[in-house]
Amino acid sequence: MNKILLDCTPFDEVDMFLDEANVERLARMIKQQAEQAQFIVVSLRRPMIESAERTIGVTQARGANTQVLGILGIKLQSSHTSP
């Protein structure tokens, strides 16, 4: 029988005020915990998006409508280069 955990707190841009290093640390922590639980994270930060198994893009279309762009299982290529 599957268990559903209903006592949850949404992660809505929890990384907004973090520096790059701490966004990466948070992304790693969520990835580790995701082995035992499901996370839905709202973020605009590249390290979070890059570490996600799945991403769903949402944008505001004309007027008050939103447009949902689903991207499943795609990894973004990092633009960081090594010296």
Side-chain angles (χ1 to χ4, degrees), residues 16-64:
M16 184 184 330
F17 297 110
L18 299 178
D19 62 9
E20 187 83 9
N22 283 310
V23 172
E24 290 173 3
R25 289 178 62 201
L26 178 60
R28 283 193 306 270
M29 184 215 54
I30 291 172
K31 192 167 192 96
Q32 289 173 346
Q33 295 296 317
E35 294 175 8
Q36 300 163 6
Q38 182 179 25
F39 288 83
I40 298 174
V41 178
V42 177
S43 178
L44 300 173
R45 305 291 297 274
R46 188 167 186 94
M48 286 293 228
I49 296 169
E50 287 177 341
S51 70
E53 279 186 26
R54 294 185 178 94
T55 59
I56 299 174
V58 179
T59 185
Q60 185 172 0
R62 296 178 187 217

mmCIF file of all heavy atoms in Angstrom, residues 16-64:
data_model
loop_
_atom_site.group_PDB
_atom_site.id
_atom_site.type_symbol
_atom_site.label_atom_id
_atom_site.label_comp_id
_atom_site.label_asym_id
_atom_site.label_seq_id
_atom_site.Cartn_x
_atom_site.Cartn_y
_atom_site.Cartn_z
ATOM 1 N N MET A 16 16.122 31.920 -3.132
ATOM 2 C CA MET A 16 16.147 33.259 -3.715
ATOM 3 C C MET A 16 17.280 34.129 -3.161
ATOM 4 O O MET A 16 17.949 34.828 -3.908
ATOM 5 C CB MET A 16 14.812 33.960 -3.483
ATOM 6 C CG MET A 16 14.745 35.327 -4.145
ATOM 7 S SD MET A 16 13.257 36.294 -3.842
ATOM 8 C CE MET A 16 11.986 35.106 -3.608
ATOM 9 N N PHE A 17 17.502 34.101 -1.866
ATOM 10 C CA PHE A 17 18.487 34.989 -1.260
ATOM 11 C C PHE A 17 19.809 34.296 -0.934
ATOM 12 O O PHE A 17 20.655 34.873 -0.251
ATOM 13 C CB PHE A 17 17.899 35.636 0.001
ATOM 14 C CG PHE A 17 16.721 36.514 -0.306
ATOM 15 C CD1 PHE A 17 15.446 36.148 0.073
ATOM 16 C CD2 PHE A 17 16.885 37.703 -1.007
ATOM 17 C CE1 PHE A 17 14.358 36.947 -0.219
ATOM 18 C CE2 PHE A 17 15.808 38.515 -1.309
ATOM 19 C CZ PHE A 17 14.543 38.140 -0.909
ATOM 20 N N LEU A 18 19.987 33.084 -1.411
ATOM 21 C CA LEU A 18 21.229 32.352 -1.165
ATOM 22 C C LEU A 18 22.270 32.686 -2.226
ATOM 23 O O LEU A 18 21.932 32.943 -3.384
ATOM 24 C CB LEU A 18 20.976 30.848 -1.171
ATOM 25 C CG LEU A 18 20.013 30.311 -0.119
ATOM 26 C CD1 LEU A 18 19.844 28.813 -0.298
ATOM 27 C CD2 LEU A 18 20.504 30.630 1.279
ATOM 28 N N ASP A 19 23.541 32.643 -1.833
ATOM 29 C CA ASP A 19 24.596 32.799 -2.822
ATOM 30 C C ASP A 19 24.737 31.492 -3.607
ATOM 31 O O ASP A 19 24.139 30.478 -3.267
ATOM 32 C CB ASP A 19 25.912 33.228 -2.173
ATOM 33 C CG ASP A 19 26.460 32.209 -1.189
ATOM 34 O OD1 ASP A 19 25.927 31.078 -1.117
ATOM 35 O OD2 ASP A 19 27.417 32.542 -0.484
ATOM 36 N N GLU A 20 25.529 31.531 -4.653
ATOM 37 C CA GLU A 20 25.673 30.381 -5.568
ATOM 38 C C GLU A 20 26.099 29.106 -4.850
ATOM 39 O O GLU A 20 25.555 28.029 -5.090
ATOM 40 C CB GLU A 20 26.685 30.731 -6.662
ATOM 41 C CG GLU A 20 26.792 29.708 -7.762
ATOM 42 C CD GLU A 20 25.731 29.864 -8.829
ATOM 43 O OE1 GLU A 20 25.003 30.860 -8.821
ATOM 44 O OE2 GLU A 20 25.638 28.964 -9.678
ATOM 45 N N ALA A 21 27.088 29.221 -3.947
ATOM 46 C CA ALA A 21 27.590 28.035 -3.240
ATOM 47 C C ALA A 21 26.492 27.394 -2.398
ATOM 48 O O ALA A 21 26.365 26.164 -2.362
ATOM 49 C CB ALA A 21 28.784 28.404 -2.368
ATOM 50 N N ASN A 22 25.689 28.200 -1.725
ATOM 51 C CA ASN A 22 24.640 27.638 -0.879
ATOM 52 C C ASN A 22 23.454 27.131 -1.683
ATOM 53 O O ASN A 22 22.776 26.201 -1.247
ATOM 54 C CB ASN A 22 24.200 28.668 0.174
ATOM 55 C CG ASN A 22 25.215 28.758 1.284
ATOM 56 O OD1 ASN A 22 25.623 27.765 1.843
ATOM 57 N ND2 ASN A 22 25.653 29.973 1.587
ATOM 58 N N VAL A 23 23.212 27.687 -2.853
ATOM 59 C CA VAL A 23 22.179 27.120 -3.736
ATOM 60 C C VAL A 23 22.606 25.724 -4.159
ATOM 61 O O VAL A 23 21.807 24.790 -4.156
ATOM 62 C CB VAL A 23 21.939 28.017 -4.971
ATOM 63 C CG1 VAL A 23 21.012 27.324 -5.964
ATOM 64 C CG2 VAL A 23 21.354 29.358 -4.566
ATOM 65 N N GLU A 24 23.879 25.561 -4.493
ATOM 66 C CA GLU A 24 24.387 24.241 -4.879
ATOM 67 C C GLU A 24 24.296 23.259 -3.715
ATOM 68 O O GLU A 24 23.930 22.101 -3.910
ATOM 69 C CB GLU A 24 25.824 24.366 -5.385
ATOM 70 C CG GLU A 24 25.899 25.084 -6.718
ATOM 71 C CD GLU A 24 27.313 25.383 -7.165
ATOM 72 O OE1 GLU A 24 28.277 24.994 -6.467
ATOM 73 O OE2 GLU A 24 27.468 26.013 -8.222
ATOM 74 N N ARG A 25 24.611 23.708 -2.507
ATOM 75 C CA ARG A 25 24.504 22.837 -1.324
ATOM 76 C C ARG A 25 23.059 22.423 -1.085
ATOM 77 O O ARG A 25 22.777 21.268 -0.789
ATOM 78 C CB ARG A 25 25.048 23.555 -0.089
ATOM 79 C CG ARG A 25 26.548 23.715 -0.098
ATOM 80 C CD ARG A 25 27.051 24.478 1.102
ATOM 81 N NE ARG A 25 26.731 23.741 2.322
ATOM 82 C CZ ARG A 25 26.663 24.294 3.509
ATOM 83 N NH1 ARG A 25 26.868 25.592 3.669
ATOM 84 N NH2 ARG A 25 26.375 23.557 4.576
ATOM 85 N N LEU A 26 22.131 23.368 -1.214
ATOM 86 C CA LEU A 26 20.710 23.066 -1.036
ATOM 87 C C LEU A 26 20.232 22.079 -2.104
ATOM 88 O O LEU A 26 19.507 21.131 -1.802
ATOM 89 C CB LEU A 26 19.882 24.349 -1.088
ATOM 90 C CG LEU A 26 18.371 24.184 -0.955
ATOM 91 C CD1 LEU A 26 18.004 23.537 0.382
ATOM 92 C CD2 LEU A 26 17.680 25.529 -1.114
ATOM 93 N N ALA A 27 20.667 22.273 -3.332
ATOM 94 C CA ALA A 27 20.282 21.364 -4.414
ATOM 95 C C ALA A 27 20.777 19.943 -4.136
ATOM 96 O O ALA A 27 20.053 18.973 -4.342
ATOM 97 C CB ALA A 27 20.829 21.868 -5.745
ATOM 98 N N ARG A 28 22.013 19.811 -3.639
ATOM 99 C CA ARG A 28 22.549 18.486 -3.298
ATOM 100 C C ARG A 28 21.761 17.850 -2.155
ATOM 101 O O ARG A 28 21.477 16.657 -2.174
ATOM 102 C CB ARG A 28 24.037 18.581 -2.933
ATOM 103 C CG ARG A 28 24.948 18.725 -4.123
ATOM 104 C CD ARG A 28 26.409 18.495 -3.765
ATOM 105 N NE ARG A 28 26.874 19.334 -2.669
ATOM 106 C CZ ARG A 28 27.413 20.544 -2.814
ATOM 107 N NH1 ARG A 28 27.549 21.066 -4.012
ATOM 108 N NH2 ARG A 28 27.821 21.228 -1.752
ATOM 109 N N MET A 29 21.401 18.656 -1.148
ATOM 110 C CA MET A 29 20.644 18.129 -0.016
ATOM 111 C C MET A 29 19.272 17.623 -0.477
ATOM 112 O O MET A 29 18.854 16.534 -0.089
ATOM 113 C CB MET A 29 20.451 19.206 1.058
ATOM 114 C CG MET A 29 19.747 18.660 2.282
ATOM 115 S SD MET A 29 18.615 19.775 3.141
ATOM 116 C CE MET A 29 17.512 20.335 1.914
ATOM 117 N N ILE A 30 18.607 18.385 -1.312
ATOM 118 C CA ILE A 30 17.294 17.965 -1.804
ATOM 119 C C ILE A 30 17.425 16.700 -2.641
ATOM 120 O O ILE A 30 16.619 15.779 -2.519
ATOM 121 C CB ILE A 30 16.622 19.103 -2.597
ATOM 122 C CG1 ILE A 30 16.235 20.240 -1.637
ATOM 123 C CG2 ILE A 30 15.407 18.590 -3.358
ATOM 124 C CD1 ILE A 30 15.733 21.483 -2.325
ATOM 125 N N LYS A 31 18.463 16.632 -3.470
ATOM 126 C CA LYS A 31 18.674 15.441 -4.299
ATOM 127 C C LYS A 31 18.890 14.194 -3.434
ATOM 128 O O LYS A 31 18.364 13.121 -3.721
ATOM 129 C CB LYS A 31 19.844 15.662 -5.245
ATOM 130 C CG LYS A 31 19.945 14.619 -6.318
ATOM 131 C CD LYS A 31 20.904 15.079 -7.389
ATOM 132 C CE LYS A 31 20.800 14.201 -8.588
ATOM 133 N NZ LYS A 31 19.937 14.711 -9.601
ATOM 134 N N GLN A 32 19.649 14.328 -2.344
ATOM 135 C CA GLN A 32 19.872 13.200 -1.431
ATOM 136 C C GLN A 32 18.567 12.787 -0.755
ATOM 137 O O GLN A 32 18.252 11.601 -0.665
ATOM 138 C CB GLN A 32 20.908 13.565 -0.378
ATOM 139 C CG GLN A 32 22.310 13.669 -0.900
ATOM 140 C CD GLN A 32 23.268 14.208 0.142
ATOM 141 O OE1 GLN A 32 22.860 14.740 1.171
ATOM 142 N NE2 GLN A 32 24.561 14.094 -0.131
ATOM 143 N N GLN A 33 17.814 13.747 -0.280
ATOM 144 C CA GLN A 33 16.555 13.450 0.403
ATOM 145 C C GLN A 33 15.499 12.925 -0.558
ATOM 146 O O GLN A 33 14.570 12.224 -0.141
ATOM 147 C CB GLN A 33 16.032 14.706 1.109
ATOM 148 C CG GLN A 33 16.921 15.186 2.237
ATOM 149 C CD GLN A 33 16.997 14.165 3.368
ATOM 150 O OE1 GLN A 33 16.001 13.589 3.767
ATOM 151 N NE2 GLN A 33 18.200 13.956 3.882
ATOM 152 N N ALA A 34 15.635 13.231 -1.837
ATOM 153 C CA ALA A 34 14.655 12.792 -2.832
ATOM 154 C C ALA A 34 14.677 11.286 -3.052
ATOM 155 O O ALA A 34 13.781 10.737 -3.696
ATOM 156 C CB ALA A 34 14.892 13.517 -4.158
ATOM 157 N N GLU A 35 15.689 10.607 -2.510
ATOM 158 C CA GLU A 35 15.701 9.149 -2.590
ATOM 159 C C GLU A 35 14.606 8.547 -1.714
ATOM 160 O O GLU A 35 14.188 7.423 -1.922
ATOM 161 C CB GLU A 35 17.074 8.618 -2.176
ATOM 162 C CG GLU A 35 18.181 9.013 -3.133
ATOM 163 C CD GLU A 35 19.546 8.578 -2.648
ATOM 164 O OE1 GLU A 35 19.639 7.838 -1.648
ATOM 165 O OE2 GLU A 35 20.536 8.985 -3.273
ATOM 166 N N GLN A 36 14.135 9.317 -0.726
ATOM 167 C CA GLN A 36 13.130 8.819 0.211
ATOM 168 C C GLN A 36 11.824 9.602 0.171
ATOM 169 O O GLN A 36 10.860 9.214 0.820
ATOM 170 C CB GLN A 36 13.701 8.860 1.631
ATOM 171 C CG GLN A 36 14.937 8.014 1.768
ATOM 172 C CD GLN A 36 15.726 8.365 3.012
ATOM 173 O OE1 GLN A 36 15.305 9.161 3.828
ATOM 174 N NE2 GLN A 36 16.889 7.755 3.145
ATOM 175 N N ALA A 37 11.801 10.719 -0.553
ATOM 176 C CA ALA A 37 10.602 11.559 -0.595
ATOM 177 C C ALA A 37 10.564 12.309 -1.922
ATOM 178 O O ALA A 37 11.575 12.406 -2.616
ATOM 179 C CB ALA A 37 10.617 12.559 0.559
ATOM 180 N N GLN A 38 9.417 12.823 -2.228
ATOM 181 C CA GLN A 38 9.264 13.595 -3.460
ATOM 182 C C GLN A 38 9.278 15.078 -3.114
ATOM 183 O O GLN A 38 8.658 15.510 -2.138
ATOM 184 C CB GLN A 38 7.946 13.245 -4.142
ATOM 185 C CG GLN A 38 7.741 13.981 -5.447
ATOM 186 C CD GLN A 38 6.434 13.594 -6.102
ATOM 187 O OE1 GLN A 38 5.502 13.169 -5.430
ATOM 188 N NE2 GLN A 38 6.370 13.737 -7.397
ATOM 189 N N PHE A 39 9.987 15.849 -3.889
ATOM 190 C CA PHE A 39 10.074 17.288 -3.676
ATOM 191 C C PHE A 39 9.560 18.027 -4.898
ATOM 192 O O PHE A 39 9.855 17.651 -6.029
ATOM 193 C CB PHE A 39 11.532 17.717 -3.441
ATOM 194 C CG PHE A 39 12.070 17.309 -2.111
ATOM 195 C CD1 PHE A 39 12.564 16.034 -1.915
ATOM 196 C CD2 PHE A 39 12.076 18.198 -1.053
ATOM 197 C CE1 PHE A 39 13.067 15.647 -0.685
ATOM 198 C CE2 PHE A 39 12.572 17.824 0.182
ATOM 199 C CZ PHE A 39 13.073 16.541 0.364
ATOM 200 N N ILE A 40 8.831 19.083 -4.645
ATOM 201 C CA ILE A 40 8.434 20.023 -5.687
ATOM 202 C C ILE A 40 9.033 21.358 -5.279
ATOM 203 O O ILE A 40 8.699 21.904 -4.230
ATOM 204 C CB ILE A 40 6.907 20.119 -5.819
ATOM 205 C CG1 ILE A 40 6.346 18.756 -6.208
ATOM 206 C CG2 ILE A 40 6.529 21.196 -6.829
ATOM 207 C CD1 ILE A 40 4.838 18.697 -6.226
ATOM 208 N N VAL A 41 9.927 21.860 -6.099
ATOM 209 C CA VAL A 41 10.662 23.075 -5.773
ATOM 210 C C VAL A 41 10.395 24.121 -6.849
ATOM 211 O O VAL A 41 10.494 23.833 -8.037
ATOM 212 C CB VAL A 41 12.188 22.799 -5.697
ATOM 213 C CG1 VAL A 41 12.962 24.060 -5.404
ATOM 214 C CG2 VAL A 41 12.482 21.728 -4.667
ATOM 215 N N VAL A 42 10.063 25.318 -6.422
ATOM 216 C CA VAL A 42 9.910 26.446 -7.335
ATOM 217 C C VAL A 42 11.193 27.253 -7.245
ATOM 218 O O VAL A 42 11.556 27.718 -6.169
ATOM 219 C CB VAL A 42 8.700 27.322 -6.954
ATOM 220 C CG1 VAL A 42 8.599 28.530 -7.868
ATOM 221 C CG2 VAL A 42 7.424 26.505 -6.978
ATOM 222 N N SER A 43 11.890 27.387 -8.363
ATOM 223 C CA SER A 43 13.169 28.082 -8.347
ATOM 224 C C SER A 43 13.467 28.665 -9.717
ATOM 225 O O SER A 43 13.071 28.117 -10.745
ATOM 226 C CB SER A 43 14.291 27.117 -7.962
ATOM 227 O OG SER A 43 15.539 27.785 -7.985
ATOM 228 N N LEU A 44 14.197 29.757 -9.711
ATOM 229 C CA LEU A 44 14.698 30.352 -10.944
ATOM 230 C C LEU A 44 16.206 30.217 -11.045
ATOM 231 O O LEU A 44 16.810 30.672 -12.006
ATOM 232 C CB LEU A 44 14.327 31.848 -11.001
ATOM 233 C CG LEU A 44 12.844 32.156 -10.951
ATOM 234 C CD1 LEU A 44 12.620 33.659 -10.829
ATOM 235 C CD2 LEU A 44 12.134 31.608 -12.166
ATOM 236 N N ARG A 45 16.817 29.567 -10.063
ATOM 237 C CA ARG A 45 18.274 29.471 -9.991
ATOM 238 C C ARG A 45 18.783 28.269 -10.774
ATOM 239 O O ARG A 45 18.293 27.151 -10.641
ATOM 240 C CB ARG A 45 18.718 29.386 -8.535
ATOM 241 C CG ARG A 45 18.219 30.527 -7.639
ATOM 242 C CD ARG A 45 18.855 31.859 -7.976
ATOM 243 N NE ARG A 45 20.281 31.878 -7.776
ATOM 244 C CZ ARG A 45 20.872 32.155 -6.610
ATOM 245 N NH1 ARG A 45 20.157 32.430 -5.549
ATOM 246 N NH2 ARG A 45 22.187 32.150 -6.523
ATOM 247 N N ARG A 46 19.797 28.505 -11.583
ATOM 248 C CA ARG A 46 20.337 27.482 -12.478
ATOM 249 C C ARG A 46 20.796 26.202 -11.755
ATOM 250 O O ARG A 46 20.497 25.103 -12.222
ATOM 251 C CB ARG A 46 21.459 28.068 -13.322
ATOM 252 C CG ARG A 46 21.929 27.128 -14.410
ATOM 253 C CD ARG A 46 22.802 27.846 -15.412
ATOM 254 N NE ARG A 46 23.107 26.965 -16.501
ATOM 255 C CZ ARG A 46 22.431 26.893 -17.631
ATOM 256 N NH1 ARG A 46 21.400 27.681 -17.801
ATOM 257 N NH2 ARG A 46 22.768 26.044 -18.571
ATOM 258 N N PRO A 47 21.529 26.282 -10.619
ATOM 259 C CA PRO A 47 21.952 25.038 -9.959
ATOM 260 C C PRO A 47 20.778 24.147 -9.550
ATOM 261 O O PRO A 47 20.870 22.927 -9.617
ATOM 262 C CB PRO A 47 22.728 25.519 -8.734
ATOM 263 C CG PRO A 47 23.198 26.879 -9.093
ATOM 264 C CD PRO A 47 22.114 27.453 -9.953
ATOM 265 N N MET A 48 19.682 24.753 -9.123
ATOM 266 C CA MET A 48 18.495 23.970 -8.753
ATOM 267 C C MET A 48 17.898 23.299 -9.979
ATOM 268 O O MET A 48 17.541 22.124 -9.943
ATOM 269 C CB MET A 48 17.443 24.864 -8.103
ATOM 270 C CG MET A 48 17.801 25.249 -6.710
ATOM 271 S SD MET A 48 17.764 23.817 -5.642
ATOM 272 C CE MET A 48 16.837 24.459 -4.322
ATOM 273 N N ILE A 49 17.783 24.053 -11.054
ATOM 274 C CA ILE A 49 17.188 23.510 -12.281
ATOM 275 C C ILE A 49 18.069 22.409 -12.855
ATOM 276 O O ILE A 49 17.585 21.366 -13.282
ATOM 277 C CB ILE A 49 16.946 24.636 -13.299
ATOM 278 C CG1 ILE A 49 15.905 25.619 -12.736
ATOM 279 C CG2 ILE A 49 16.497 24.076 -14.638
ATOM 280 C CD1 ILE A 49 15.771 26.906 -13.512
ATOM 281 N N GLU A 50 19.391 22.621 -12.827
ATOM 282 C CA GLU A 50 20.315 21.623 -13.366
ATOM 283 C C GLU A 50 20.290 20.323 -12.577
ATOM 284 O O GLU A 50 20.521 19.258 -13.129
ATOM 285 C CB GLU A 50 21.739 22.170 -13.392
ATOM 286 C CG GLU A 50 21.967 23.192 -14.469
ATOM 287 C CD GLU A 50 23.360 23.782 -14.443
ATOM 288 O OE1 GLU A 50 24.045 23.687 -13.392
ATOM 289 O OE2 GLU A 50 23.765 24.346 -15.461
ATOM 290 N N SER A 51 20.025 20.379 -11.279
ATOM 291 C CA SER A 51 20.052 19.167 -10.467
ATOM 292 C C SER A 51 18.709 18.439 -10.446
ATOM 293 O O SER A 51 18.620 17.333 -9.916
ATOM 294 C CB SER A 51 20.490 19.487 -9.038
ATOM 295 O OG SER A 51 19.480 20.204 -8.367
ATOM 296 N N ALA A 52 17.689 19.026 -11.033
ATOM 297 C CA ALA A 52 16.354 18.421 -11.013
ATOM 298 C C ALA A 52 16.268 17.221 -11.956
ATOM 299 O O ALA A 52 16.890 17.204 -13.011
ATOM 300 C CB ALA A 52 15.310 19.451 -11.420
ATOM 301 N N GLU A 53 15.504 16.212 -11.551
ATOM 302 C CA GLU A 53 15.223 15.091 -12.446
ATOM 303 C C GLU A 53 14.283 15.522 -13.556
ATOM 304 O O GLU A 53 14.401 15.101 -14.687
ATOM 305 C CB GLU A 53 14.569 13.946 -11.678
ATOM 306 C CG GLU A 53 15.526 13.093 -10.920
ATOM 307 C CD GLU A 53 14.823 11.890 -10.313
ATOM 308 O OE1 GLU A 53 13.782 11.465 -10.841
ATOM 309 O OE2 GLU A 53 15.321 11.402 -9.296
ATOM 310 N N ARG A 54 13.312 16.331 -13.192
ATOM 311 C CA ARG A 54 12.334 16.828 -14.153
ATOM 312 C C ARG A 54 12.087 18.302 -13.876
ATOM 313 O O ARG A 54 12.096 18.728 -12.731
ATOM 314 C CB ARG A 54 11.015 16.076 -14.021
ATOM 315 C CG ARG A 54 11.126 14.626 -14.392
ATOM 316 C CD ARG A 54 9.764 13.963 -14.366
ATOM 317 N NE ARG A 54 9.885 12.594 -14.777
ATOM 318 C CZ ARG A 54 10.037 11.570 -13.951
ATOM 319 N NH1 ARG A 54 10.085 11.766 -12.666
ATOM 320 N NH2 ARG A 54 10.140 10.352 -14.410
ATOM 321 N N THR A 55 11.868 19.043 -14.937
ATOM 322 C CA THR A 55 11.516 20.448 -14.770
ATOM 323 C C THR A 55 10.250 20.745 -15.563
ATOM 324 O O THR A 55 9.983 20.115 -16.584
ATOM 325 C CB THR A 55 12.632 21.385 -15.260
ATOM 326 O OG1 THR A 55 12.882 21.133 -16.636
ATOM 327 C CG2 THR A 55 13.896 21.203 -14.471
ATOM 328 N N ILE A 56 9.493 21.687 -15.057
ATOM 329 C CA ILE A 56 8.308 22.159 -15.755
ATOM 330 C C ILE A 56 8.412 23.668 -15.816
ATOM 331 O O ILE A 56 8.470 24.334 -14.772
ATOM 332 C CB ILE A 56 7.009 21.745 -15.040
ATOM 333 C CG1 ILE A 56 6.914 20.225 -14.976
ATOM 334 C CG2 ILE A 56 5.789 22.335 -15.752
ATOM 335 C CD1 ILE A 56 5.744 19.725 -14.153
ATOM 336 N N GLY A 57 8.471 24.203 -17.009
ATOM 337 C CA GLY A 57 8.562 25.647 -17.169
ATOM 338 C C GLY A 57 7.175 26.252 -17.232
ATOM 339 O O GLY A 57 6.306 25.746 -17.928
ATOM 340 N N VAL A 58 6.985 27.331 -16.502
ATOM 341 C CA VAL A 58 5.708 28.049 -16.506
ATOM 342 C C VAL A 58 6.014 29.505 -16.790
ATOM 343 O O VAL A 58 6.894 30.095 -16.162
ATOM 344 C CB VAL A 58 4.973 27.916 -15.157
ATOM 345 C CG1 VAL A 58 3.668 28.692 -15.172
ATOM 346 C CG2 VAL A 58 4.723 26.460 -14.820
ATOM 347 N N THR A 59 5.292 30.096 -17.733
ATOM 348 C CA THR A 59 5.498 31.487 -18.071
ATOM 349 C C THR A 59 4.159 32.192 -18.190
ATOM 350 O O THR A 59 3.143 31.552 -18.430
ATOM 351 C CB THR A 59 6.305 31.615 -19.383
ATOM 352 O OG1 THR A 59 6.581 32.993 -19.617
ATOM 353 C CG2 THR A 59 5.550 31.058 -20.567
ATOM 354 N N GLN A 60 4.180 33.496 -17.991
ATOM 355 C CA GLN A 60 2.945 34.250 -18.131
ATOM 356 C C GLN A 60 2.781 34.621 -19.594
ATOM 357 O O GLN A 60 3.637 35.262 -20.196
ATOM 358 C CB GLN A 60 2.955 35.503 -17.273
ATOM 359 C CG GLN A 60 1.634 36.233 -17.319
ATOM 360 C CD GLN A 60 1.559 37.368 -16.327
ATOM 361 O OE1 GLN A 60 2.495 37.614 -15.589
ATOM 362 N NE2 GLN A 60 0.449 38.055 -16.314
ATOM 363 N N ALA A 61 1.678 34.185 -20.152
ATOM 364 C CA ALA A 61 1.355 34.514 -21.531
ATOM 365 C C ALA A 61 0.661 35.877 -21.550
ATOM 366 O O ALA A 61 0.584 36.563 -20.541
ATOM 367 C CB ALA A 61 0.463 33.424 -22.125
ATOM 368 N N ARG A 62 0.135 36.245 -22.674
ATOM 369 C CA ARG A 62 -0.572 37.523 -22.769
ATOM 370 C C ARG A 62 -1.759 37.551 -21.829
ATOM 371 O O ARG A 62 -2.447 36.554 -21.658
ATOM 372 C CB ARG A 62 -1.032 37.754 -24.196
ATOM 373 C CG ARG A 62 0.127 37.892 -25.142
ATOM 374 C CD ARG A 62 -0.349 38.060 -26.546
ATOM 375 N NE ARG A 62 0.815 38.031 -27.423
ATOM 376 C CZ ARG A 62 0.948 38.755 -28.482
ATOM 377 N NH1 ARG A 62 -0.014 39.571 -28.851
ATOM 378 N NH2 ARG A 62 2.025 38.678 -29.214
ATOM 379 N N GLY A 63 -1.961 38.683 -21.225
ATOM 380 C CA GLY A 63 -3.064 38.805 -20.279
ATOM 381 C C GLY A 63 -2.710 38.125 -18.971
ATOM 382 O O GLY A 63 -1.568 38.110 -18.544
ATOM 383 N N ALA A 64 -3.693 37.543 -18.340
ATOM 384 C CA ALA A 64 -3.492 36.887 -17.045
ATOM 385 C C ALA A 64 -3.281 35.383 -17.189
ATOM 386 O O ALA A 64 -3.167 34.682 -16.198
ATOM 387 C CB ALA A 64 -4.690 37.154 -16.148
#
